[in-house]
Amino acid sequence: MMKFWPSSLMLLGLLACQPAAEPETKSKALFSQAAILAEADRYLSQEPVPLTDTLCARSEGGPQDFYSEGDYWWPDPEHPDGPYIRKDGLSNPGNFVAHRRAMRNLSRWVASLTAAYLAIEEDKYAAHALKHLRAWFLNPDTRMNPHLLYGQAIKGRVSGRGIGIIDSIHLIEVARSIQRLQEKGYLKEEEWQGLRDWFVQYTDWLTTHPYGLDEKDHGNNHSTWWAAQVAVFADLVGREDLLALCRDQFKKLLSEQMDEQGAFPDELARTKPFNYSLFNLEAYAILADVASTPEDNLWHYQAEHGSLKQSITFLLPTIQDKNQWAYQKDVEHFDELPIQSATLLLAGKAYDEPTYVELWQGLSPERSSHEIDRTYPIRQLSLWVNE
């Protein structure tokens, strides 16, 4: 259920001509077709890397089960062979991350190739995106099992946890790419039904399994990203009942999480408060963009302390000038933020705020570390905004 906004808005004025004194000068385009094609061309020779390419002996699952380990859990110096201990905000470099990287690369490659196909409709891009999709979701020997039973395991403590569901935020743009390919009529019926069936099964698991229900009610950014994932996957497979559930979740969470300043206190209490604040806000932006209806526009929903715009207003001065950040600096990667993430562009469209879009255009899209790359899953905004 893709949403294309009224052309009369002229996409916040960015598509409008400049004043009459400069009749031939136009506003800066949102997306560079040359950059989209150049990136996609780099991936045309990239072969699929499914989960089955890399196994971890510590996983209690099989070769087609996604496996990851809790970021902030480390060996106990006093008991090296005992259960891991937690160091919030400090990622353990010894953790198994191959499946996470594989899923992140799947998202990057498929979204980039799909964006190129949408830009110029050359079959080679869609065909290569489909090659990756077949390996991950259709091939019986390499497909990922549609659950996250073994996400964010902790050595000596648990084989998997509900909070591991946050790892699959990188399937969001995969689902959006499938949706766009289907809308363009590229997918054969058998392929579409197979892909749809995988996401039906995964969405059912997210909304019925105890891990999924734990994540739904976990609080902080975990619950927001649970709802964002469910909304995008439900939109792909046509589950209006789950989209309604996500709208209710948005309203509940915004009242619980946002204070009168527009801040998210749960995120400010972490050791990476700036990163987590931006991260949580992006989940709300995706959720509002996908789940809103004309009758129930989440962008304008008035929670206990105001609408989502209150939070954007709170963070905006810091996005413009990080020296304005009045809280503790993140223990890691503070200097790498902010980046050109989804929030400002989607909010600019929704609120008719050209300044948001101009600020978004001025930010760098570069993700300088694996940490920042895995935190922000939306990379190809041309899949979300119809320029």
Side-chain angles (χ1 to χ4, degrees):
M1 188 172 65
M2 291 291 296
K3 300 173 179 67
F4 295 98
W5 296 81
S7 59
S8 59
L9 291 178
M10 295 183 289
L11 194 50
L12 320 174
L14 288 179
L15 306 182
C17 293
Q18 297 291 329
E22 299 176 333
E24 295 184 0
T25 303
K26 300 214 174 178
S27 299
K28 181 181 177 183
L30 288 180
F31 312 114
S32 164
Q33 184 180 102
I36 289 172
L37 297 179
E39 180 178 358
D41 285 343
R42 293 200 302 270
Y43 303 144
L44 283 173
S45 60
Q46 175 64 54
E47 291 299 311
V49 182
L51 299 182
T52 51
D53 277 15
T54 313
L55 306 178
C56 179
R58 292 187 294 275
S59 173
E60 295 187 19
Q64 291 174 253
D65 293 321
F66 180 93
Y67 178 72
S68 66
E69 295 178 309
D71 296 295
Y72 308 140
W73 292 86
W74 294 68
D76 184 347
E78 297 182 5
H79 305 282
D81 296 325
Y84 278 11
I85 59 174
R86 190 169 188 263
K87 299 180 182 182
D88 187 34
L90 299 176
S91 297
N92 179 359
N95 283 341
F96 179 81
V97 295
H99 285 178
R100 277 180 166 176
R101 289 181 178 172
M103 184 179 286
R104 189 164 68 237
N105 283 333
L106 170 76
S107 180
R108 177 183 292 106
W109 300 336
V110 168
S112 176
L113 292 162
T114 302
Y117 175 70
L118 295 177
I120 63 173
E121 297 193 13
E122 283 194 15
D123 282 359
K124 64 180 180 180
Y125 297 112
H128 206 63
L130 185 55
K131 187 174 184 178
H132 290 284
L133 295 174
R134 288 194 187 104
W136 271 78
F137 306 111
L138 300 179
N139 185 325
D141 296 324
T142 61
R143 70 192 292 268
M144 173 183 164
N145 290 327
H147 61 69
L148 246 66
L149 288 173
Y150 306 103
Q152 295 212 15
I154 304 171
K155 182 182 176 182
R157 294 181 182 271
V158 291
S159 61
R161 298 179 290 165
I163 64 171
I165 287 169
I166 206 162
D167 287 343
S168 63
I169 60 175
H170 292 281
L171 293 181
I172 287 176
E173 278 209 322
V174 175
R176 177 48 59 104
S177 296
I178 293 169
Q179 193 168 19
R180 297 304 305 267
L181 292 172
Q182 170 65 6
E183 289 168 352
K184 295 294 287 185
Y186 183 81
L187 299 176
K188 296 177 181 178
E189 183 64 20
E190 182 179 358
E191 294 165 340
W192 161 240
Q193 289 302 329
L195 293 168
R196 181 184 183 279
D197 182 62
W198 193 96
F199 278 93
V200 165
Q201 292 180 61
Y202 187 52
T203 306
D204 284 344
W205 185 85
L206 287 174
T207 54
T208 61
H209 190 274
Y211 280 7
L213 298 179
D214 285 347
E215 187 76 338
K216 174 178 177 286
D217 297 325
H218 180 275
N220 71 29
N221 62 77
H222 279 268
S223 290
T224 322
W225 278 106
W226 177 92
Q229 289 187 70
V230 172
V232 172
F233 304 154
D235 195 38
L236 172 66
V237 303
R239 288 288 301 273
E240 294 295 335
D241 59 326
L242 293 182
L243 284 168
L245 172 67
C246 291
R247 285 190 287 275
D248 290 342
Q249 184 77 344
F250 177 101
K251 298 169 185 177
K252 172 178 176 288
L253 292 175
L254 194 62
S255 287
E256 292 176 350
Q257 292 185 4
M258 189 179 75
D259 66 15
E260 61 278 0
Q261 297 182 89
F264 301 126
D266 286 344
E267 311 306 334
L268 292 179
R270 302 293 297 276
T271 58
K272 294 189 286 190
F274 187 45
N275 185 25
Y276 277 119
S277 294
L278 294 171
F279 180 53
N280 197 39
L281 185 59
E282 180 161 305
Y284 275 110
I286 293 297
L287 183 52
D289 185 73
V290 173
S292 289
T293 68
E295 300 77 26
D296 197 359
N297 189 328
L298 298 177
W299 291 101
H300 297 283
Y301 172 73
Q302 293 297 310
E304 182 176 348
H305 294 119
S307 73
L308 186 58
K309 194 172 185 180
Q310 185 86 350
S311 184
I312 298 170
T313 301
F314 170 76
L315 284 168
L316 197 63
T318 307
I319 296 174
Q320 294 169 321
D321 177 7
K322 195 163 49 182
N323 292 324
Q324 300 300 313
W325 183 246
Y327 301 87
Q328 174 185 337
K329 289 185 177 181
D330 297 6
V331 295
E332 291 182 322
H333 309 289
F334 183 73
D335 293 338
E336 298 174 32
L337 294 169
I339 62 169
Q340 193 183 67
S341 58
T343 300
L344 287 174
L345 183 56
L346 296 179
K349 178 185 71 172
Y351 292 124
D352 193 13
E353 287 281 3
T355 55
Y356 291 179
V357 182
E358 292 165 5
L359 179 57
W360 175 84
Q361 289 182 300
L363 294 171
S364 171
E366 293 301 317
R367 291 155 162 80
S368 302
S369 66
H370 291 303
E371 177 79 10
I372 298 303
D373 191 34
R374 75 177 180 86
T375 302
Y376 298 92
I378 309 304
R379 300 178 181 85
Q380 293 291 339
L381 276 153
S382 63
L383 301 177
W384 302 80
V385 174
N386 180 24
E387 183 170 10

